[in-house]
Amino acid sequence: MKQEVIVRFAPSPTGYLHIGGARTAIFNWLFAQKTGGKFILRIEDTDAERSTEESIQGIIESLKWLGIIWDEGPYFQSQFINEHLAAARRLLESGHAYKCFCTKEELDRKRETALKQKKDLKYDGTCRRLTRIEIYIKEEQGIPYTLRMKVPNGKGSVSFEDVVYGRIDHKYKDIEDFVIVRSNGQPLYLLSNTVDDIRDRITHVIRGQDGLSNTHRQILIYQALGAPVPKFAHMSLTLDPKKAKISKRKHGELVAVRFYKEHGFLPWAFVNFLVLLGWATPESREIFTKEELIQAFSLQGINRANSIFDVRTNDPKYFTDPKAISINAHYLRTLPVEEIEPYVTAELEKAGIWNPEYEGTKRRWYLDTIGLIRSRFHVTTDFVSRGRAYFSDEFPIESRAVKKNILKHPDLKKWFPKLADRLGALESFTATETEDAIREMAEELKIKPGVLINGVRTVVTGQLAGPGIFDILITIGQRRVVDRLRKAPALFDKP
Protein backbone atom coordinates (compact mmCIF):
# COMPACT_ATOMS: atom_id res chain seq x y z
CA MET A 1 0.00 0.00 0.00
CA LYS A 2 1.35 3.41 -0.97
CA GLN A 3 2.27 5.62 1.97
CA GLU A 4 0.15 8.74 2.39
CA VAL A 5 2.10 11.96 1.94
CA ILE A 6 1.94 14.16 5.04
CA VAL A 7 3.59 17.58 5.11
CA ARG A 8 3.46 20.50 7.51
CA PHE A 9 4.00 24.21 7.77
CA ALA A 10 5.39 25.11 11.18
CA PRO A 11 5.79 28.88 11.60
CA SER A 12 7.03 30.59 14.72
CA PRO A 13 4.45 33.23 15.79
CA THR A 14 6.94 35.99 16.51
CA GLY A 15 5.58 38.43 13.92
CA TYR A 16 3.54 38.59 10.75
CA LEU A 17 3.61 35.95 8.02
CA HIS A 18 6.30 37.10 5.59
CA ILE A 19 6.72 36.08 1.98
CA GLY A 20 9.38 33.46 2.78
CA GLY A 21 7.08 31.69 5.21
CA ALA A 22 4.15 32.03 2.84
CA ARG A 23 6.17 30.47 0.03
CA THR A 24 7.07 27.53 2.29
CA ALA A 25 3.41 27.04 3.18
CA ILE A 26 2.40 27.21 -0.48
CA PHE A 27 4.98 24.62 -1.58
CA ASN A 28 3.88 22.22 1.16
CA TRP A 29 0.21 22.76 0.36
CA LEU A 30 0.77 22.26 -3.37
CA PHE A 31 2.69 19.04 -2.79
CA ALA A 32 -0.09 17.70 -0.58
CA GLN A 33 -2.69 18.67 -3.18
CA LYS A 34 -0.67 17.11 -5.99
CA THR A 35 -0.18 13.80 -4.19
CA GLY A 36 -3.58 13.59 -2.52
CA GLY A 37 -1.80 13.91 0.82
CA LYS A 38 -2.35 15.83 4.01
CA PHE A 39 -1.22 19.35 4.94
CA ILE A 40 -0.81 20.13 8.65
CA LEU A 41 -0.51 23.57 10.23
CA ARG A 42 1.59 23.53 13.39
CA ILE A 43 2.37 26.72 15.32
CA GLU A 44 5.77 26.47 16.99
CA ASP A 45 4.99 28.75 19.92
CA THR A 46 7.47 27.57 22.54
CA ASP A 47 9.32 30.89 22.55
CA ALA A 48 7.06 32.36 25.23
CA GLU A 49 8.82 35.73 25.30
CA ARG A 50 8.37 36.44 21.56
CA SER A 51 5.26 34.47 20.61
CA THR A 52 2.04 36.46 20.64
CA GLU A 53 -1.63 35.75 20.08
CA GLU A 54 -1.68 38.62 17.58
CA SER A 55 1.00 36.92 15.50
CA ILE A 56 -0.83 33.60 15.62
CA GLN A 57 -4.04 35.17 14.36
CA GLY A 58 -2.11 37.14 11.74
CA ILE A 59 -0.51 33.97 10.37
CA ILE A 60 -3.83 32.14 10.25
CA GLU A 61 -5.64 35.06 8.59
CA SER A 62 -2.87 35.49 6.00
CA LEU A 63 -2.94 31.80 5.08
CA LYS A 64 -6.71 31.89 4.75
CA TRP A 65 -6.50 34.98 2.56
CA LEU A 66 -4.02 33.18 0.28
CA GLY A 67 -6.40 30.22 0.10
CA ILE A 68 -3.89 27.88 1.75
CA ILE A 69 -6.18 25.75 3.89
CA TRP A 70 -4.82 23.00 6.13
CA ASP A 71 -6.24 19.52 6.65
CA GLU A 72 -5.23 19.28 10.31
CA GLY A 73 -4.50 21.84 12.98
CA PRO A 74 -3.56 24.33 13.91
CA TYR A 75 -1.62 22.39 16.50
CA PHE A 76 0.47 24.29 19.03
CA GLN A 77 3.92 23.03 19.90
CA SER A 78 3.66 24.28 23.48
CA GLN A 79 0.94 21.68 24.11
CA PHE A 80 3.40 18.86 23.51
CA ILE A 81 6.36 19.85 25.69
CA ASN A 82 5.81 16.79 27.89
CA GLU A 83 6.19 14.61 24.80
CA HIS A 84 9.42 16.39 23.89
CA LEU A 85 10.81 15.86 27.39
CA ALA A 86 9.70 12.22 27.40
CA ALA A 87 11.65 11.72 24.18
CA ALA A 88 14.68 13.36 25.80
CA ARG A 89 14.45 10.92 28.72
CA ARG A 90 14.31 8.02 26.30
CA LEU A 91 17.45 9.29 24.60
CA LEU A 92 19.16 9.66 27.96
CA GLU A 93 18.14 6.19 29.13
CA SER A 94 19.18 4.57 25.86
CA GLY A 95 22.62 6.19 26.03
CA HIS A 96 22.06 8.42 23.01
CA ALA A 97 22.19 11.55 25.20
CA TYR A 98 24.01 12.57 28.36
CA LYS A 99 23.93 15.22 31.06
CA CYS A 100 26.29 18.13 30.55
CA PHE A 101 27.19 20.18 33.66
CA CYS A 102 29.45 22.65 31.87
CA THR A 103 28.47 26.24 32.55
CA LYS A 104 28.21 28.92 29.92
CA GLU A 105 31.32 30.58 31.34
CA GLU A 106 33.27 27.34 31.09
CA LEU A 107 32.15 26.78 27.51
CA ASP A 108 33.06 30.37 26.57
CA ARG A 109 36.56 29.93 28.02
CA LYS A 110 37.05 26.70 26.10
CA ARG A 111 36.02 28.37 22.86
CA GLU A 112 38.36 31.31 23.50
CA THR A 113 41.22 28.91 24.12
CA ALA A 114 40.37 26.93 20.97
CA LEU A 115 40.30 30.14 18.94
CA LYS A 116 43.72 31.18 20.21
CA GLN A 117 45.15 27.74 19.50
CA LYS A 118 43.31 27.57 16.16
CA LYS A 119 41.64 24.33 17.19
CA ASP A 120 38.17 22.96 16.51
CA LEU A 121 35.44 24.96 18.28
CA LYS A 122 33.28 21.92 18.90
CA TYR A 123 32.32 20.95 22.42
CA ASP A 124 35.16 18.79 23.69
CA GLY A 125 32.98 16.09 25.25
CA THR A 126 34.08 16.72 28.86
CA CYS A 127 30.80 15.56 30.41
CA ARG A 128 30.42 12.72 27.94
CA ARG A 129 33.27 11.04 29.81
CA LEU A 130 31.86 11.48 33.30
CA THR A 131 31.39 8.34 35.36
CA ARG A 132 28.11 7.53 37.11
CA ILE A 133 29.63 8.52 40.44
CA GLU A 134 30.80 11.88 39.07
CA ILE A 135 27.34 12.51 37.64
CA TYR A 136 25.73 11.55 40.96
CA ILE A 137 27.98 13.93 42.91
CA LYS A 138 27.22 16.86 40.59
CA GLU A 139 23.51 16.19 40.82
CA GLU A 140 23.72 16.07 44.63
CA GLN A 141 25.50 19.41 44.54
CA GLY A 142 22.55 20.81 42.64
CA ILE A 143 24.63 21.76 39.60
CA PRO A 144 22.27 22.49 36.67
CA TYR A 145 22.78 20.54 33.48
CA THR A 146 21.75 20.44 29.86
CA LEU A 147 21.09 17.31 27.83
CA ARG A 148 23.41 16.77 24.91
CA MET A 149 22.95 14.40 22.01
CA LYS A 150 25.81 11.92 21.81
CA VAL A 151 27.12 11.92 18.25
CA PRO A 152 28.59 8.54 17.25
CA ASN A 153 32.37 8.20 17.24
CA GLY A 154 34.25 6.77 14.32
CA LYS A 155 34.60 7.32 10.62
CA GLY A 156 30.92 7.19 9.75
CA SER A 157 28.68 10.00 8.61
CA VAL A 158 25.11 11.22 8.47
CA SER A 159 23.99 11.05 4.84
CA PHE A 160 20.74 11.97 3.17
CA GLU A 161 19.45 12.68 -0.30
CA ASP A 162 17.93 16.13 -0.47
CA VAL A 163 15.35 16.44 -3.24
CA VAL A 164 16.79 19.82 -4.27
CA TYR A 165 20.50 19.69 -3.38
CA GLY A 166 21.20 16.02 -3.89
CA ARG A 167 23.33 13.83 -1.62
CA ILE A 168 24.70 15.55 1.48
CA ASP A 169 27.17 13.97 3.91
CA HIS A 170 28.23 15.14 7.35
CA LYS A 171 31.05 13.19 8.97
CA TYR A 172 30.55 12.29 12.61
CA LYS A 173 33.86 13.85 13.51
CA ASP A 174 32.61 17.24 12.26
CA ILE A 175 29.40 17.20 14.29
CA GLU A 176 29.38 18.58 17.81
CA ASP A 177 27.51 16.87 20.64
CA PHE A 178 24.58 19.26 20.52
CA VAL A 179 22.22 20.39 23.25
CA ILE A 180 18.63 19.13 23.06
CA VAL A 181 17.34 20.35 26.45
CA ARG A 182 18.42 23.55 28.21
CA SER A 183 19.45 23.67 31.85
CA ASN A 184 16.03 25.19 32.69
CA GLY A 185 14.33 22.09 31.32
CA GLN A 186 13.22 23.72 28.07
CA PRO A 187 13.58 21.46 25.00
CA LEU A 188 15.33 23.03 22.03
CA TYR A 189 13.91 23.40 18.54
CA LEU A 190 15.98 20.51 17.16
CA LEU A 191 14.33 18.07 19.55
CA SER A 192 10.81 19.53 19.65
CA ASN A 193 10.53 19.90 15.90
CA THR A 194 11.72 16.35 15.30
CA VAL A 195 9.46 14.81 17.92
CA ASP A 196 6.49 16.72 16.51
CA ASP A 197 7.27 15.49 13.00
CA ILE A 198 7.48 11.93 14.27
CA ARG A 199 4.15 12.24 16.08
CA ASP A 200 2.46 13.82 13.04
CA ARG A 201 3.94 11.11 10.76
CA ILE A 202 5.51 13.72 8.46
CA THR A 203 6.79 12.05 5.30
CA HIS A 204 8.34 15.09 3.58
CA VAL A 205 9.96 18.10 5.20
CA ILE A 206 9.80 21.00 2.73
CA ARG A 207 11.46 24.09 4.18
CA GLY A 208 13.92 26.89 3.53
CA GLN A 209 17.58 26.38 2.84
CA ASP A 210 18.43 27.80 6.26
CA GLY A 211 17.11 24.55 7.77
CA LEU A 212 19.69 22.54 5.86
CA SER A 213 22.34 23.05 8.56
CA ASN A 214 20.11 21.33 11.13
CA THR A 215 19.07 18.34 9.07
CA HIS A 216 21.95 16.01 9.94
CA ARG A 217 21.40 16.63 13.66
CA GLN A 218 17.71 15.94 13.36
CA ILE A 219 18.40 12.74 11.46
CA LEU A 220 20.50 11.55 14.39
CA ILE A 221 17.50 12.14 16.67
CA TYR A 222 15.18 10.26 14.29
CA GLN A 223 17.57 7.34 14.23
CA ALA A 224 18.11 7.30 17.99
CA LEU A 225 14.35 7.27 18.58
CA GLY A 226 13.89 4.46 16.06
CA ALA A 227 11.65 6.57 13.82
CA PRO A 228 11.59 6.64 10.01
CA VAL A 229 13.46 9.58 8.53
CA PRO A 230 11.34 11.75 6.21
CA LYS A 231 12.48 12.97 2.84
CA PHE A 232 13.90 16.49 2.84
CA ALA A 233 13.50 19.22 0.24
CA HIS A 234 15.22 22.50 1.04
CA MET A 235 14.13 25.54 -0.92
CA SER A 236 16.63 28.14 -2.06
CA LEU A 237 16.63 31.53 -0.36
CA THR A 238 14.76 34.63 -1.45
CA LEU A 239 17.04 37.65 -1.64
CA ASP A 240 16.56 41.36 -2.21
CA PRO A 241 18.12 43.11 -5.24
CA LYS A 242 21.34 43.64 -3.27
CA LYS A 243 21.55 39.87 -2.70
CA ALA A 244 20.75 40.21 1.01
CA LYS A 245 18.34 37.74 2.57
CA ILE A 246 14.75 38.98 2.82
CA SER A 247 13.98 39.67 6.46
CA LYS A 248 11.31 41.30 8.61
CA ARG A 249 13.88 43.41 10.41
CA LYS A 250 15.45 44.88 7.29
CA HIS A 251 12.49 45.14 4.91
CA GLY A 252 9.60 45.59 7.32
CA GLU A 253 6.04 45.62 5.98
CA LEU A 254 7.22 45.25 2.38
CA VAL A 255 7.73 41.52 2.98
CA ALA A 256 4.53 40.94 4.97
CA VAL A 257 1.70 39.04 3.28
CA ARG A 258 -0.82 41.40 4.87
CA PHE A 259 0.87 44.34 3.09
CA TYR A 260 -0.13 42.86 -0.26
CA LYS A 261 -3.64 42.16 0.94
CA GLU A 262 -3.96 45.79 2.04
CA HIS A 263 -2.44 47.13 -1.19
CA GLY A 264 -4.83 45.57 -3.64
CA PHE A 265 -3.40 42.18 -4.57
CA LEU A 266 -5.68 39.30 -5.48
CA PRO A 267 -4.92 36.22 -3.34
CA TRP A 268 -4.32 33.74 -6.14
CA ALA A 269 -2.27 36.24 -8.14
CA PHE A 270 0.05 36.61 -5.15
CA VAL A 271 0.25 32.84 -4.69
CA ASN A 272 1.11 32.50 -8.38
CA PHE A 273 3.90 35.08 -7.99
CA LEU A 274 5.35 33.55 -4.82
CA VAL A 275 5.52 30.09 -6.41
CA LEU A 276 7.78 31.50 -9.11
CA LEU A 277 10.32 32.59 -6.47
CA GLY A 278 12.49 29.52 -6.65
CA TRP A 279 10.35 27.16 -8.69
CA ALA A 280 9.73 26.72 -12.41
CA THR A 281 8.33 24.38 -15.00
CA PRO A 282 10.61 23.11 -17.79
CA GLU A 283 8.94 25.53 -20.21
CA SER A 284 9.18 28.46 -17.73
CA ARG A 285 5.44 29.01 -17.69
CA GLU A 286 4.31 31.83 -15.41
CA ILE A 287 0.50 32.02 -15.27
CA PHE A 288 -1.50 29.16 -13.73
CA THR A 289 -5.00 28.54 -12.50
CA LYS A 290 -5.15 26.73 -9.18
CA GLU A 291 -5.85 23.41 -10.88
CA GLU A 292 -3.08 23.93 -13.42
CA LEU A 293 -0.52 24.79 -10.76
CA ILE A 294 -1.39 21.76 -8.66
CA GLN A 295 -1.03 19.56 -11.73
CA ALA A 296 2.28 21.15 -12.76
CA PHE A 297 3.90 21.29 -9.32
CA SER A 298 6.76 18.99 -8.39
CA LEU A 299 9.57 19.15 -5.85
CA GLN A 300 12.00 18.58 -8.70
CA GLY A 301 11.02 21.98 -10.07
CA ILE A 302 12.52 23.77 -7.06
CA ASN A 303 15.64 25.66 -8.11
CA ARG A 304 18.96 25.54 -6.33
CA ALA A 305 19.72 29.12 -7.30
CA ASN A 306 18.43 31.82 -4.98
CA SER A 307 15.53 33.92 -6.21
CA ILE A 308 15.25 37.72 -6.14
CA PHE A 309 12.30 39.55 -4.66
CA ASP A 310 12.59 43.06 -6.03
CA VAL A 311 11.62 45.05 -2.95
CA ARG A 312 10.88 48.63 -3.98
CA THR A 313 11.15 51.27 -1.28
CA ASN A 314 11.27 54.41 -3.41
CA ASP A 315 9.41 53.66 -6.64
CA PRO A 316 5.89 55.13 -6.51
CA LYS A 317 4.92 53.42 -9.75
CA TYR A 318 5.48 49.90 -8.50
CA PHE A 319 6.12 50.05 -4.70
CA THR A 320 7.13 46.39 -4.87
CA ASP A 321 8.37 43.73 -7.29
CA PRO A 322 7.23 44.74 -10.82
CA LYS A 323 6.68 41.09 -11.71
CA ALA A 324 4.31 40.69 -8.78
CA ILE A 325 2.33 43.70 -9.99
CA SER A 326 2.38 42.43 -13.58
CA ILE A 327 0.96 39.06 -12.58
CA ASN A 328 -1.66 40.72 -10.40
CA ALA A 329 -2.64 43.01 -13.29
CA HIS A 330 -3.06 39.98 -15.55
CA TYR A 331 -5.58 38.40 -13.19
CA LEU A 332 -7.30 41.71 -12.44
CA ARG A 333 -7.89 42.30 -16.14
CA THR A 334 -8.76 38.76 -17.27
CA LEU A 335 -10.72 37.05 -14.49
CA PRO A 336 -14.51 37.10 -14.75
CA VAL A 337 -15.72 40.40 -13.33
CA GLU A 338 -17.81 38.53 -10.77
CA GLU A 339 -14.64 37.03 -9.27
CA ILE A 340 -12.89 40.34 -8.66
CA GLU A 341 -16.03 42.25 -7.68
CA PRO A 342 -15.83 41.33 -3.94
CA TYR A 343 -12.30 42.74 -3.77
CA VAL A 344 -13.34 45.95 -5.55
CA THR A 345 -16.31 46.26 -3.22
CA ALA A 346 -14.02 45.95 -0.21
CA GLU A 347 -11.88 48.81 -1.51
CA LEU A 348 -14.89 51.05 -2.12
CA GLU A 349 -16.22 50.30 1.35
CA LYS A 350 -12.85 51.09 2.88
CA ALA A 351 -12.77 54.39 0.98
CA GLY A 352 -16.32 55.28 2.05
CA ILE A 353 -17.72 55.42 -1.49
CA TRP A 354 -19.67 52.17 -1.60
CA ASN A 355 -23.29 52.49 -2.71
CA PRO A 356 -25.75 49.79 -1.56
CA GLU A 357 -27.51 50.18 -4.91
CA TYR A 358 -24.55 48.38 -6.47
CA GLU A 359 -26.04 45.22 -5.00
CA GLY A 360 -29.51 46.12 -6.20
CA THR A 361 -30.78 48.32 -9.00
CA LYS A 362 -27.30 49.33 -10.15
CA ARG A 363 -25.81 45.82 -10.01
CA ARG A 364 -25.44 45.47 -13.78
CA TRP A 365 -23.99 48.99 -14.09
CA TYR A 366 -21.53 48.22 -11.30
CA LEU A 367 -20.22 45.04 -12.91
CA ASP A 368 -20.04 46.65 -16.33
CA THR A 369 -18.11 49.60 -14.90
CA ILE A 370 -15.58 47.32 -13.26
CA GLY A 371 -15.16 45.53 -16.57
CA LEU A 372 -14.68 48.82 -18.45
CA ILE A 373 -12.11 50.52 -16.26
CA ARG A 374 -9.96 47.60 -15.12
CA SER A 375 -8.00 47.36 -18.38
CA ARG A 376 -5.31 49.78 -17.20
CA PHE A 377 -5.36 48.90 -13.51
CA HIS A 378 -2.75 46.83 -11.67
CA VAL A 379 -4.17 46.43 -8.16
CA THR A 380 -7.65 46.71 -6.68
CA THR A 381 -6.73 49.92 -4.87
CA ASP A 382 -6.60 51.51 -8.35
CA PHE A 383 -10.40 51.38 -8.42
CA VAL A 384 -10.31 54.03 -5.68
CA SER A 385 -7.16 55.98 -6.54
CA ARG A 386 -7.64 56.02 -10.33
CA GLY A 387 -11.27 55.00 -10.75
CA ARG A 388 -12.88 57.06 -8.04
CA ALA A 389 -14.63 59.34 -10.55
CA TYR A 390 -16.93 56.49 -11.56
CA PHE A 391 -18.18 55.92 -8.03
CA SER A 392 -18.04 59.39 -6.49
CA ASP A 393 -18.40 63.02 -7.53
CA GLU A 394 -15.39 63.86 -5.38
CA PHE A 395 -12.27 62.65 -7.12
CA PRO A 396 -8.69 63.82 -7.64
CA ILE A 397 -7.56 65.28 -10.96
CA GLU A 398 -4.05 64.47 -12.13
CA SER A 399 -1.90 67.58 -12.32
CA ARG A 400 -0.18 66.33 -15.45
CA ALA A 401 -3.59 65.83 -17.11
CA VAL A 402 -4.59 69.41 -16.25
CA LYS A 403 -1.29 70.71 -17.56
CA LYS A 404 -1.46 68.80 -20.84
CA ASN A 405 -5.18 68.67 -21.62
CA ILE A 406 -6.56 71.82 -19.98
CA LEU A 407 -4.08 74.65 -19.45
CA LYS A 408 -2.58 74.31 -22.93
CA HIS A 409 -5.96 75.28 -24.39
CA PRO A 410 -7.27 78.33 -22.48
CA ASP A 411 -10.38 78.60 -24.67
CA LEU A 412 -11.67 75.37 -23.13
CA LYS A 413 -12.76 77.53 -20.19
CA LYS A 414 -15.56 78.99 -22.33
CA TRP A 415 -16.10 75.89 -24.46
CA PHE A 416 -16.84 73.46 -21.60
CA PRO A 417 -20.11 75.16 -20.50
CA LYS A 418 -21.30 75.24 -24.15
CA LEU A 419 -20.48 71.57 -24.56
CA ALA A 420 -22.36 70.87 -21.34
CA ASP A 421 -25.43 72.51 -22.87
CA ARG A 422 -25.14 70.37 -26.00
CA LEU A 423 -24.70 67.11 -24.16
CA GLY A 424 -27.41 68.02 -21.69
CA ALA A 425 -29.85 68.61 -24.54
CA LEU A 426 -29.36 65.17 -26.07
CA GLU A 427 -32.52 63.11 -25.89
CA SER A 428 -30.56 59.89 -26.40
CA PHE A 429 -27.30 59.82 -24.44
CA THR A 430 -25.51 57.10 -26.40
CA ALA A 431 -21.92 56.67 -27.52
CA THR A 432 -22.90 57.62 -31.07
CA GLU A 433 -24.85 60.70 -30.06
CA THR A 434 -22.17 62.00 -27.67
CA GLU A 435 -19.42 61.44 -30.21
CA ASP A 436 -21.37 63.27 -32.91
CA ALA A 437 -22.02 66.18 -30.57
CA ILE A 438 -18.37 66.58 -29.60
CA ARG A 439 -17.04 66.22 -33.13
CA GLU A 440 -19.62 68.67 -34.52
CA MET A 441 -18.64 71.24 -31.92
CA ALA A 442 -14.94 70.76 -32.70
CA GLU A 443 -15.68 71.26 -36.40
CA GLU A 444 -17.60 74.45 -35.65
CA LEU A 445 -14.73 75.74 -33.52
CA LYS A 446 -12.24 74.72 -36.22
CA ILE A 447 -10.14 72.73 -33.74
CA LYS A 448 -9.01 69.12 -33.67
CA PRO A 449 -11.58 66.84 -31.97
CA GLY A 450 -8.79 65.60 -29.68
CA VAL A 451 -8.64 68.97 -27.93
CA LEU A 452 -12.23 68.58 -26.74
CA ILE A 453 -12.02 64.82 -26.25
CA ASN A 454 -8.89 64.95 -24.10
CA GLY A 455 -10.19 67.91 -22.15
CA VAL A 456 -13.46 66.14 -21.47
CA ARG A 457 -11.59 63.02 -20.32
CA THR A 458 -9.65 65.02 -17.75
CA VAL A 459 -12.70 66.89 -16.52
CA VAL A 460 -14.92 63.83 -16.26
CA THR A 461 -12.45 61.25 -14.91
CA GLY A 462 -9.48 63.24 -13.59
CA GLN A 463 -7.20 61.04 -15.67
CA LEU A 464 -4.81 61.54 -18.56
CA ALA A 465 -5.66 58.19 -20.12
CA GLY A 466 -8.20 55.42 -19.79
CA PRO A 467 -10.91 53.53 -21.70
CA GLY A 468 -12.60 54.98 -24.78
CA ILE A 469 -14.00 58.42 -23.92
CA PHE A 470 -17.48 57.73 -25.30
CA ASP A 471 -17.81 54.52 -23.27
CA ILE A 472 -16.71 56.57 -20.26
CA LEU A 473 -19.39 59.22 -20.84
CA ILE A 474 -22.17 56.66 -21.12
CA THR A 475 -20.94 54.86 -18.01
CA ILE A 476 -20.72 57.98 -15.86
CA GLY A 477 -24.07 59.19 -17.14
CA GLN A 478 -25.52 62.30 -18.70
CA ARG A 479 -26.35 64.22 -15.52
CA ARG A 480 -22.92 63.77 -13.93
CA VAL A 481 -21.03 64.46 -17.16
CA VAL A 482 -22.93 67.72 -17.72
CA ASP A 483 -22.45 68.77 -14.11
CA ARG A 484 -18.68 68.18 -14.27
CA LEU A 485 -18.34 70.10 -17.51
CA ARG A 486 -20.16 73.08 -15.98
CA LYS A 487 -17.72 73.07 -13.05
CA ALA A 488 -14.68 72.60 -15.30
CA PRO A 489 -13.77 76.32 -15.75
CA ALA A 490 -12.56 76.30 -12.14
CA LEU A 491 -9.63 74.18 -13.28
CA PHE A 492 -8.15 77.20 -15.04
CA ASP A 493 -7.95 79.02 -11.74
CA LYS A 494 -5.57 76.48 -10.23
CA PRO A 495 -2.05 77.83 -9.59
Side-chain angles (χ1 to χ4, degrees), residues 230-256:
K231 295 180 180 178
F232 290 91
H234 287 88
M235 305 182 304
S236 56
L237 300 177
T238 300
L239 309 178
D240 69 13
K242 295 181 179 179
K243 303 299 175 68
K245 184 180 176 182
I246 292 291
S247 70
K248 298 177 186 178
R249 180 176 299 177
K250 181 177 180 181
H251 300 96
E253 287 288 305
L254 285 172
V255 296

Side-chain angles (χ1 to χ4, degrees), residues 297-333:
F297 186 79
S298 71
L299 297 181
Q300 287 70 30
I302 299 175
N303 300 324
R304 292 188 182 187
N306 294 326
S307 57
I308 300 296
F309 179 67
D310 195 356
V311 179
R312 299 294 180 98
T313 57
N314 56 4
D315 188 336
K317 181 179 180 181
Y318 289 113
F319 74 80
T320 188
D321 195 304
K323 188 170 186 177
I325 293 182
S326 174
I327 290 175
N328 196 73
H330 169 82
Y331 282 101
L332 191 66
R333 299 169 187 177

Side-chain angles (χ1 to χ4, degrees), residues 270-372:
F270 199 56
V271 169
N272 193 153
F273 165 70
L274 290 178
V275 165
L276 300 178
L277 292 176
W279 177 85
T281 61
E283 66 275 16
S284 298
R285 182 178 174 183
E286 293 193 336
I287 301 297
F288 302 85
T289 65
K290 183 181 294 186
E291 293 73 22
E292 288 170 343
L293 185 55
I294 291 170
Q295 182 61 34
F297 186 79
S298 71
L299 297 181
Q300 287 70 30
I302 299 175
N303 300 324
R304 292 188 182 187
N306 294 326
S307 57
I308 300 296
F309 179 67
D310 195 356
V311 179
R312 299 294 180 98
T313 57
N314 56 4
D315 188 336
K317 181 179 180 181
Y318 289 113
F319 74 80
T320 188
D321 195 304
K323 188 170 186 177
I325 293 182
S326 174
I327 290 175
N328 196 73
H330 169 82
Y331 282 101
L332 191 66
R333 299 169 187 177
T334 60
L335 284 175
V337 170
E338 289 77 7
E339 289 189 32
I340 68 169
E341 178 266 324
Y343 302 101
V344 177
T345 296
E347 295 296 343
L348 299 186
E349 288 177 337
K350 190 163 56 175
I353 56 176
W354 166 252
N355 185 341
E357 291 182 1
Y358 298 160
E359 290 184 331
T361 57
K362 289 190 174 182
R363 176 68 176 172
R364 188 67 260 164
W365 175 89
Y366 181 49
L367 295 176
D368 288 345
T369 300
I370 292 174
L372 172 67

Side-chain angles (χ1 to χ4, degrees), residues 429 434 438 456 460 469-478 481:
F429 198 73
T434 54
I438 291 174
V456 169
V460 173
I469 183 61
F470 305 108
D471 291 329
I472 289 174
L473 298 181
I474 303 311
T475 299
I476 290 180
Q478 187 174 23
V481 168

